Coordinates of all heavy atoms in Angstrom, one line a residue:
Chain A
A173 N -2.8 -6.1 33.4 CA -3.2 -5.2 34.6 C -4.4 -5.8 35.3 O -4.4 -5.8 36.6 CB -3.6 -3.8 34.1
G174 N -5.4 -6.4 34.6 CA -6.5 -7.0 35.2 C -6.1 -8.1 36.1 O -6.5 -8.3 37.2
R175 N -5.2 -9.0 35.5 CA -4.8 -10.2 36.3 C -4.0 -9.7 37.5 O -4.1 -10.3 38.6 CB -3.9 -11.0 35.4 CG -4.6 -11.5 34.1 CD -5.5 -12.7 34.4 NE -4.8 -13.9 34.5 CZ -5.0 -14.8 35.5 NH1 -5.9 -14.6 36.4 NH2 -4.3 -15.9 35.5
D176 N -3.2 -8.7 37.3 CA -2.4 -8.2 38.4 C -3.4 -7.7 39.6 O -3.0 -7.7 40.7 CB -1.6 -7.0 37.9 CG -0.7 -6.5 39.0 OD1 0.3 -7.2 39.3 OD2 -0.9 -5.4 39.5
L177 N -4.6 -7.3 39.2 CA -5.5 -6.8 40.2 C -6.5 -7.9 40.6 O -7.7 -7.6 40.9 CB -6.2 -5.6 39.7 CG -5.3 -4.3 39.5 CD1 -5.9 -3.3 38.7 CD2 -4.9 -3.8 40.9
Y178 N -6.1 -9.1 40.5 CA -6.8 -10.3 41.0 C -8.1 -10.7 40.3 O -8.9 -11.3 40.8 CB -7.2 -10.1 42.5 CG -6.0 -9.6 43.3 CD1 -5.9 -8.3 43.7 CD2 -5.0 -10.4 43.6 CE1 -4.8 -7.8 44.4 CE2 -3.9 -10.0 44.3 CZ -3.8 -8.6 44.7 OH -2.7 -8.2 45.4
A179 N -8.1 -10.3 39.0 CA -9.3 -10.7 38.2 C -9.1 -12.1 37.7 O -7.9 -12.5 37.3 CB -9.5 -9.8 37.0
T180 N -10.1 -13.0 37.7 CA -10.0 -14.3 37.1 C -9.9 -14.1 35.6 O -10.3 -13.1 35.1 CB -11.2 -15.2 37.4 OG1 -12.4 -14.6 36.8 CG2 -11.4 -15.3 38.9
P181 N -9.5 -15.2 34.9 CA -9.5 -15.1 33.4 C -10.9 -14.7 32.9 O -11.0 -13.9 32.0 CB -9.1 -16.5 33.0 CG -8.3 -17.0 34.1 CD -8.9 -16.4 35.3
G182 N -11.9 -15.3 33.4 CA -13.3 -15.0 33.0 C -13.6 -13.6 33.1 O -14.1 -12.9 32.2
E183 N -13.3 -13.0 34.3 CA -13.6 -11.6 34.6 C -12.8 -10.7 33.7 O -13.2 -9.7 33.2 CB -13.3 -11.3 36.1 CG -14.3 -11.9 37.0 CD -13.8 -11.8 38.5 OE1 -12.6 -11.7 38.7 OE2 -14.6 -11.9 39.4
T184 N -11.5 -11.1 33.5 CA -10.6 -10.3 32.6 C -11.2 -10.2 31.3 O -11.3 -9.2 30.7 CB -9.2 -11.0 32.5 OG1 -8.7 -11.2 33.8 CG2 -8.3 -10.0 31.8
F185 N -11.7 -11.4 30.8 CA -12.3 -11.3 29.5 C -13.6 -10.5 29.4 O -13.7 -9.6 28.6 CB -12.6 -12.8 29.0 CG -13.5 -12.8 27.7 CD1 -12.9 -12.4 26.5 CD2 -14.8 -13.2 27.8 CE1 -13.6 -12.4 25.4 CE2 -15.6 -13.2 26.6 CZ -15.0 -12.8 25.4
R186 N -14.5 -10.8 30.4 CA -15.8 -10.1 30.4 C -15.7 -8.6 30.6 O -16.4 -7.8 30.0 CB -16.6 -10.8 31.5 CG -18.1 -10.5 31.4 CD -18.9 -11.5 32.3 NE -18.3 -11.7 33.6 CZ -18.5 -11.0 34.7 NH1 -19.3 -10.0 34.6 NH2 -17.9 -11.3 35.8
L187 N -14.8 -8.2 31.6 CA -14.8 -6.8 32.0 C -13.8 -6.0 31.3 O -13.9 -4.7 31.2 CB -14.5 -6.7 33.5 CG -15.5 -7.5 34.4 CD1 -15.0 -7.5 35.8 CD2 -16.9 -6.8 34.3
I188 N -12.8 -6.6 30.7 CA -11.7 -5.8 30.1 C -11.6 -6.0 28.6 O -11.8 -5.1 27.8 CB -10.3 -6.1 30.7 CG1 -10.4 -5.8 32.2 CG2 -9.2 -5.4 30.0 CD1 -9.1 -6.2 33.0
L189 N -11.4 -7.3 28.2 CA -11.2 -7.6 26.8 C -12.5 -7.3 26.0 O -12.5 -6.7 24.9 CB -10.8 -9.0 26.6 CG -9.3 -9.2 26.2 CD1 -9.1 -10.6 25.7 CD2 -8.9 -8.3 25.1
L190 N -13.6 -7.9 26.4 CA -14.8 -7.8 25.7 C -15.2 -6.4 25.3 O -15.5 -6.1 24.1 CB -16.0 -8.5 26.5 CG -17.2 -8.9 25.7 CD1 -16.8 -9.7 24.5 CD2 -18.2 -9.7 26.6
P191 N -15.3 -5.5 26.3 CA -15.6 -4.1 25.9 C -14.7 -3.5 24.9 O -15.1 -2.8 23.9 CB -15.5 -3.3 27.2 CG -15.6 -4.3 28.3 CD -15.1 -5.6 27.7
L192 N -13.4 -3.9 25.0 CA -12.4 -3.3 24.0 C -12.6 -4.0 22.6 O -12.4 -3.3 21.6 CB -11.0 -3.6 24.5 CG -10.5 -2.7 25.7 CD1 -9.2 -3.1 26.2 CD2 -10.5 -1.2 25.3
M193 N -13.0 -5.2 22.6 CA -13.2 -5.9 21.4 C -14.5 -5.6 20.7 O -14.7 -5.9 19.5 CB -13.2 -7.4 21.6 CG -11.8 -8.0 21.9 SD -12.0 -9.7 22.4 CE -12.4 -10.5 20.8
L194 N -15.4 -5.0 21.4 CA -16.8 -4.8 21.0 C -16.9 -4.3 19.5 O -17.7 -4.8 18.8 CB -17.6 -3.9 21.9 CG -19.0 -4.2 22.0 CD1 -19.3 -5.7 22.3 CD2 -19.7 -3.4 23.1
P195 N -16.2 -3.2 19.1 CA -16.4 -2.8 17.8 C -16.1 -3.9 16.7 O -16.8 -4.0 15.8 CB -15.3 -1.6 17.6 CG -15.1 -1.2 19.0 CD -15.3 -2.4 19.9
G196 N -15.0 -4.6 17.0 CA -14.7 -5.7 16.1 C -15.8 -6.8 16.1 O -16.1 -7.3 15.0
I197 N -16.3 -7.1 17.2 CA -17.3 -8.1 17.3 C -18.6 -7.7 16.6 O -19.2 -8.4 15.9 CB -17.7 -8.5 18.8 CG1 -16.4 -9.1 19.4 CG2 -18.8 -9.4 18.9 CD1 -16.6 -9.5 20.9
L198 N -19.0 -6.4 16.8 CA -20.2 -5.9 16.1 C -20.0 -5.9 14.6 O -20.9 -6.2 13.9 CB -20.5 -4.4 16.6 CG -21.1 -4.4 18.0 CD1 -21.3 -2.9 18.4 CD2 -22.5 -5.0 17.9
S199 N -18.8 -5.5 14.2 CA -18.4 -5.4 12.8 C -18.6 -6.8 12.2 O -19.1 -7.1 11.2 CB -17.0 -4.9 12.6 OG -16.8 -4.5 11.3
G200 N -18.0 -7.8 12.9 CA -18.1 -9.2 12.5 C -19.5 -9.7 12.4 O -19.9 -10.4 11.5
F201 N -20.3 -9.3 13.4 CA -21.7 -9.7 13.4 C -22.4 -9.2 12.2 O -23.1 -9.9 11.5 CB -22.3 -9.2 14.7 CG -23.8 -9.5 14.8 CD1 -24.2 -10.7 15.3 CD2 -24.7 -8.6 14.4 CE1 -25.6 -11.0 15.3 CE2 -26.1 -8.9 14.4 CZ -26.5 -10.1 14.9
L202 N -22.2 -7.9 11.9 CA -22.9 -7.3 10.8 C -22.5 -8.0 9.5 O -23.3 -8.3 8.6 CB -22.6 -5.8 10.7 CG -23.5 -5.0 11.6 CD1 -23.0 -3.5 11.6 CD2 -24.9 -5.0 11.1
L203 N -21.2 -8.2 9.4 CA -20.7 -8.9 8.2 C -21.3 -10.3 8.0 O -21.8 -10.6 6.9 CB -19.2 -9.1 8.3 CG -18.3 -8.2 7.3 CD1 -18.8 -6.8 7.3 CD2 -16.9 -8.3 7.7
A204 N -21.3 -11.1 9.1 CA -21.9 -12.4 9.0 C -23.4 -12.3 8.7 O -23.9 -13.1 7.9 CB -21.7 -13.1 10.4
F205 N -24.1 -11.3 9.2 CA -25.5 -11.1 9.0 C -25.7 -10.9 7.5 O -26.6 -11.5 6.9 CB -26.0 -9.9 9.8 CG -27.4 -9.6 9.7 CD1 -28.4 -10.4 10.4 CD2 -27.9 -8.6 8.8 CE1 -29.7 -10.1 10.2 CE2 -29.2 -8.4 8.7 CZ -30.2 -9.1 9.4
I206 N -24.9 -9.9 6.9 CA -25.1 -9.6 5.5 C -24.8 -10.8 4.7 O -25.5 -11.1 3.7 CB -24.2 -8.5 5.1 CG1 -24.5 -7.2 5.9 CG2 -24.3 -8.2 3.6 CD1 -23.5 -6.1 5.7
I207 N -23.7 -11.5 5.0 CA -23.4 -12.7 4.2 C -24.4 -13.7 4.2 O -24.8 -14.3 3.2 CB -22.0 -13.3 4.7 CG1 -20.9 -12.3 4.3 CG2 -21.8 -14.6 4.2 CD1 -20.6 -12.4 2.8
S208 N -25.0 -13.9 5.4 CA -26.1 -14.9 5.4 C -27.3 -14.5 4.7 O -27.9 -15.3 4.0 CB -26.4 -15.2 6.9 OG -27.7 -15.9 7.0
L209 N -27.6 -13.2 4.8 CA -28.8 -12.7 4.2 C -28.7 -12.8 2.6 O -29.6 -13.1 1.9 CB -28.9 -11.2 4.5 CG -30.3 -10.5 4.5 CD1 -31.2 -11.2 5.4 CD2 -30.1 -9.1 4.8
D210 N -27.5 -12.6 2.2 CA -27.2 -12.6 0.7 C -27.0 -14.0 0.1 O -27.1 -14.1 -1.1 CB -25.9 -11.8 0.4 CG -26.2 -10.3 0.4 OD1 -27.4 -9.9 0.5 OD2 -25.2 -9.5 0.4
D211 N -26.8 -15.0 0.9 CA -26.4 -16.2 0.3 C -27.5 -16.8 -0.6 O -28.7 -16.9 -0.2 CB -26.0 -17.2 1.3 CG -25.6 -18.5 0.7 OD1 -24.5 -18.5 0.1 OD2 -26.3 -19.5 0.8
F212 N -27.1 -17.3 -1.8 CA -28.0 -18.0 -2.6 C -27.7 -19.4 -2.9 O -28.5 -20.3 -2.6 CB -28.1 -17.2 -4.0 CG -28.9 -18.0 -5.0 CD1 -30.3 -18.1 -4.9 CD2 -28.3 -18.7 -6.0 CE1 -31.0 -18.9 -5.8 CE2 -29.0 -19.4 -6.9 CZ -30.3 -19.5 -6.8
I213 N -26.5 -19.7 -3.4 CA -26.2 -21.0 -3.9 C -26.3 -22.1 -2.9 O -27.0 -23.1 -3.1 CB -24.8 -21.0 -4.5 CG1 -24.8 -20.1 -5.7 CG2 -24.4 -22.4 -5.0 CD1 -23.4 -20.0 -6.4
I214 N -25.7 -21.9 -1.8 CA -25.7 -22.9 -0.7 C -27.1 -23.1 -0.2 O -27.6 -24.2 -0.1 CB -24.8 -22.6 0.4 CG1 -23.3 -22.6 -0.1 CG2 -24.9 -23.5 1.6 CD1 -22.3 -22.2 0.9
T215 N -27.8 -22.0 0.0 CA -29.2 -22.0 0.5 C -30.1 -22.8 -0.5 O -30.9 -23.6 -0.1 CB -29.7 -20.6 0.7 OG1 -28.8 -19.8 1.4 CG2 -31.0 -20.6 1.5

Side-chain angles (χ1 to χ4, degrees):
Chain A
R175 302 281 281 132
D176 186 70
L177 293 164
Y178 314 104
T180 64
E183 288 167 341
T184 310
F185 170 70
R186 195 164 42 89
L187 302 170
I188 298 172
L189 255 193
L190 195 55
L192 288 173
M193 284 171 74
L194 210 52
I197 295 180
L198 282 176
S199 197
F201 176 84
L202 276 173
L203 249 47
F205 181 80
I206 297 171
I207 286 289
S208 164
L209 205 61
D210 279 353
D211 180 69
F212 169 73
I213 296 182
I214 297 179
T215 313

